[in-house]
Amino acid sequence: DQQVKQNSPSLSVQEGRISILNCDYTNSMFDYFLWYKKYPAEGPTFLISISSIKDKNEDGRFTVFLNKSAKHLSLHIVPSQPGDSAVYFCAAVPSGSARQLTFGSGTQLTVLP
Amino acid sequence: EPEVTQTPSHQVTQMGQEVILRCVPISNHLYFYWYRQILGQKVEFLVSFYNNEISEKSEIFDDQFSVERPDGSNFTLKIRSTKLEDSAMYFCASNLGGGQFFGPGTRLTVL
């Protein structure tokens, strides 16, 4: 049951350009969404989150957009840097839960110098 | 910057043996979690823990699994009788609310 989907397993972007990572969800009970970055042999690193009462949240080079009607969120990284190369996971939390995360399958971002 | 730590980084065990994976969450956090990631698969929720008791657990977290917060700093995951399919990366996480902060993981290999 894939409640959170990342349909692009990989993405390559030139350094300095925008990276756009996409995520779709099916569970309308999700009310909080997060993006994590993961390097090999490390744990996921929290990047940015957004509550369902908002449609945009920005933190430095990272912006998350939420379209509730489409059940879609995206992460924009501008400008992309080679150090951003990692696997990016979106995750979602249902309302009323003990905040367990449901993860997508991840997108491998490669930023080319 | 405070961080979640986990030990050991790699644990190798024989099938049927008990293992204990250890975590030290960030000190002022109140919620604690265990997740696992089987090679090539998604990160999956196992259990959440708050106020010294399990808040929620997934179907994966069966009677072979248990968690404990034996003192004010450690949070442990015990697998009583390991199976081959328990081989995975196990991640501990903690938070106050909002984003969960993950440890580096323990790679468990069951032979």
Side-chain angles (χ1 to χ4, degrees), chain A residues 4 32 34 36 38 42-44 46 97-101 103-105, chain B residues 33 35 37 42-43 45 48 55-56 91 98-104:
Chain A
V4 179
Y32 191 71
L34 309 92
Y36 285 83
K38 187 178 182 302
E42 293 185 14
F46 170 67
S97 81
R99 316 310 284 171
Q100 63 173 90
L101 298 174
F103 281 89
S105 54
Chain B
Y33 310 82
Y35 292 82
Q37 186 179 28
K42 292 184 180 185
V43 177
F45 168 77
S48 59
S55 308
E56 208 160 340
F91 296 105
Q100 293 176 20
F101 293 84
F102 283 75

Side-chain angles (χ1 to χ4, degrees), chain A residues 18-30:
Chain A
I18 184 170
S19 295
I20 300 176
L21 299 144
N22 293 303
C23 179
D24 297 292
Y25 62 95
T26 56
N27 188 343
S28 57
M29 294 298 290
F30 289 142

